[in-house]
């Protein structure tokens, strides 16, 4: 009888989470603890930054603190691995949708600006630390459970396009904040921009309509090695009732300028610059490496986004340029060569226009998959300007210049998509 009650409670929980998607989900609790005391498991290097009280302030001032506070008790309400998996799907989806609603001004809470992407990042990270410390009385695959939670809280689940005649479908990805050892207050304008757009219908430059769906990806090599990019993009490329008409990845790039990257390179070459867990890729400019788990493909992939239409129409407040530069090891050579006009025949990729880091790799992975599953589909990569304007006072989490710059970048990302999708002919 108790198991039937728990099953009914779980079903009700998921129905509540997936229908409202703006509140912390309830959890079953019949008074019987199913957790041992939390472990003292050491946080990973990314989670260790949670020791800085400013990260907690970003969550609380973003109105997502209840997710972190109530998550441990929710975990302890589960009675089996299957129930835990359902709970993590539900809580991850609820966190994602709460963040989307918040950035789009439909969820009050906290005094940070609505478009701020940082509360989602730090709340998710705090919840993964609670998951690591959870000590259930039954056996679990903790890695698999974290993957479920990460996917759901990043928009990879329950985030499909709504079939609608005449409405174009645009799928985009952004990134978490990074470079946090230097400045823990950093945001990522690509994450902010795509959160503001997820699920929205936007009017294109020609007066027609498009729906945008988005994901926010981690700045971690291990997640890319495990196929997160392919899990995110494959459902939008492999047919079904509502596949994408255009895809683009978005990341933070260069000061004061937007760049459409003409070329994505197959290699990693950014070391000694680490990811958010302080992991290195193993690839350098002199010795590039191919990422684990990467399917067969060319050394360089050219964008198929309508660059001319975008650069002709969108230039304010930041200029938009097509970047044709790459770094390659020419055929028969051993040393890297920078080229302003794209790769030469038979060369080895060192870096695309977006470098040899994860912003280049997300462009390569998504467009390699596009070439395999939907080769006529437009796709590419957009770099935003660097987000500047944080106050000089290290305890001040936001300020007028920072907020104005983030809003301006997000608005121009939208303008780029409005013109790119207008110029797109459905495959």
């Amino acid at each position: 009888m108790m198991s039937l009650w728990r099953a009914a409670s779980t079903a009700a929980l998921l129905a509540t989470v997936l229908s409202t998607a703006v509140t912390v989900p309830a959890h079953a609790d019949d008074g019987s603890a199913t957790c041992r005391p939390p472990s003292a498991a050491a946080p990973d290097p990314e989670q260790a930054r949670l020791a800085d009280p400013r990260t907690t302030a970003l969550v609380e001032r973003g109105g997502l603190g209840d997710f972190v506070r109530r998550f441990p008790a929710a975990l302890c309400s589960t009675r089996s691995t299957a129930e835990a998996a359902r709970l993590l799907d539900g809580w991850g989806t609820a966190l994602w949708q709460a963040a989307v609603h918040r950035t789009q001004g439909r969820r009050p809470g906290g005094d940070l600006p609505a478009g701020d992407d940082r509360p989602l990042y730090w709340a998710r990270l705090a919840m993964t630390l609670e998951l690591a410390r959870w000590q259930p009385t039954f056996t679990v695959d903790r890695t698999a459970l974290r993957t479920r939670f990460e996917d759901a809280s990043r928009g990879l689940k329950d985030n499909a396009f709504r079939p609608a005649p005449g409405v174009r479908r645009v799928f985009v990805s952004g990134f978490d904040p990074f470079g946090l050892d230097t400045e823990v207050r950093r945001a990522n304008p690509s994450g902010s921009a795509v959160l503001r757009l997820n699920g929205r219908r936007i009017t294109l430059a020609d007066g027609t309509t498009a729906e945008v769906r988005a994901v926010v990806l981690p700045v971690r090599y291990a997640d890319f090695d495990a196929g997160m990019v392919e899990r995110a993009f494959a459902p939008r490329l492999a047919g079904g009732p509502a596949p994408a008409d255009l895809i683009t990845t978005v990341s933070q790039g260069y000061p004061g300028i937007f760049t459409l990257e003409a070329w994505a390179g197959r290699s990693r070459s950014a070391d000694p610059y680490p990811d958010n867990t302080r992991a290195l890729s193993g690839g350098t400019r002199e010795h590039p490496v191919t990422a684990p788990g990467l399917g067969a493909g060319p050394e360089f992939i050219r964008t198929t986004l309508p660059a001319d239409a975008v650069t002709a129409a969108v230039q304010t407040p930041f200029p938009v340029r097509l970047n044709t530069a790459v770094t390659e090891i020419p055929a028969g050579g051993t040393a890297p060569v920078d080229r302003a006009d794209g790769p030469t025949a038979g060369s080895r990729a060192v870096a695309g226009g977006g470098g040899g880091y994860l912003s280049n790799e997300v462009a390569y992975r998504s467009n390699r998959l596009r070439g395999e599953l939907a080769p006529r589909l437009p796709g590419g990569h957009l770099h935003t300007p660097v987000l500047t304007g944080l106050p000089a006072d290290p305890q001040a989490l936001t300020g007028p210049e920072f907020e104005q710059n983030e809003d301006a970048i997000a608005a121009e990302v939208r303008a780029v998509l409005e013109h790119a999708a207008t110029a797109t002919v459905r495959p």
Side-chain angles (χ1 to χ4, degrees), residues 395-407:
Q395 298 307 312
L397 300 182
T398 189
E401 182 184 356
F402 174 78
E403 294 171 18
Q404 290 164 10
N405 289 343
E406 190 164 46
D407 288 347

Side-chain angles (χ1 to χ4, degrees), residues 290-333:
T290 300
L294 192 59
E299 287 295 305
F300 290 97
I301 298 175
R302 189 179 181 93
T303 184
T304 54
L305 292 176
D308 289 346
V310 172
T311 56
V314 184
Q315 292 293 325
T316 57
F318 302 98
V320 183
R321 300 285 186 265
L322 178 66
N323 179 24
T324 59
V326 300
T327 303
E328 65 176 15
I329 298 175

Side-chain angles (χ1 to χ4, degrees), residues 239-254:
D245 295 308
L246 177 147
I247 66 167
T248 188
T249 52
V250 187
S251 65
Q252 182 176 235
Y254 309 102

Side-chain angles (χ1 to χ4, degrees), residues 109-261:
D111 64 348
L112 288 178
D116 200 319
D117 65 307
R118 297 172 295 175
L120 171 61
Y121 172 74
W122 291 109
R124 181 196 300 112
L125 196 61
M127 293 167 76
T128 65
L129 183 56
E130 295 296 343
L131 179 60
R133 292 174 172 171
W134 174 47
Q135 294 296 302
T137 57
F138 50 91
T139 301
V140 296
D141 182 339
R142 207 176 296 272
T143 300
L145 290 177
R146 177 165 177 175
T147 297
R148 295 183 77 103
F149 177 73
E150 291 272 358
D151 282 6
S153 64
R154 294 180 176 281
L156 273 69
K157 298 182 179 179
D158 298 302
N159 194 24
F161 291 104
R162 295 165 288 178
V167 176
R168 289 186 173 93
R169 296 178 289 272
V170 177
F171 186 68
V172 297
S173 69
F175 271 110
D176 286 344
F178 65 101
L180 300 166
D181 284 333
T182 303
E183 173 56 85
V184 80
R185 297 176 297 166
R186 278 192 174 131
N188 193 321
S190 70
S192 173
V194 304
L195 282 168
R196 299 178 197 221
L197 289 168
N198 184 64
R200 282 196 161 174
R201 296 272 175 88
I202 62 174
T203 301
L204 303 182
D206 64 356
T208 60
T209 302
E211 180 178 332
V212 182
R213 290 287 167 171
V215 294
V216 175
L217 298 170
V219 184
R220 296 190 297 246
Y221 286 115
D223 295 78
F224 277 49
D225 295 347
M228 181 177 279
V229 175
E230 289 79 4
R231 291 199 305 278
F233 280 85
R236 279 78 182 190
L237 296 171
D245 295 308
L246 177 147
I247 66 167
T248 188
T249 52
V250 187
S251 65
Q252 182 176 235
Y254 309 102
I257 190 171
F258 275 86
T259 54
L260 285 166
E261 303 302 340

